[in-house]
Amino acid sequence: YYVQTSGNFGSDETMIITDMTGRIIHMEQNFANDKPMELDLSFLANGIYNLTVIMNDERESIRIIKN
């Protein structure tokens, strides 16, 4: 399982994965380069997670169900 941003090139991106209690499981940052950010989710145990992407002071969250 992978998640990849479409990449707003030249901007800083942060991906944060939290469990349903709000505990941060993983965080990655991509500092203004020319490549989209890709995150391998294979390390996650089966369950429900929130993925938050922060880019250009905008925040978007999606729910991930891994089984």
Side-chain angles (χ1 to χ4, degrees), residues 18 20 47-52 60-66:
T18 57
M20 295 311 292
I48 301 173
Y49 301 91
N50 287 317
L51 170 65
T52 302
E60 190 154 336
S61 294
I62 62 168
R63 184 161 290 166
I64 296 172
I65 300 172
K66 184 174 181 215

Side-chain angles (χ1 to χ4, degrees), residues 17-64:
I17 298 175
T18 57
D19 64 15
M20 295 311 292
T21 67
R23 182 174 59 107
I24 294 176
I25 304 297
H26 186 78
M27 182 169 70
E28 262 188 51
Q29 293 181 307
N30 186 26
F31 296 105
N33 65 33
D34 291 338
K35 297 178 183 175
M37 192 171 182
E38 184 174 281
L39 182 61
D40 179 1
L41 303 177
S42 63
F43 68 93
L44 292 174
N46 290 347
I48 301 173
Y49 301 91
N50 287 317
L51 170 65
T52 302
V53 178
I54 303 168
M55 185 170 33
N56 294 332
D57 295 327
E58 293 182 30
R59 178 181 297 249
E60 190 154 336
S61 294
I62 62 168
R63 184 161 290 166
I64 296 172

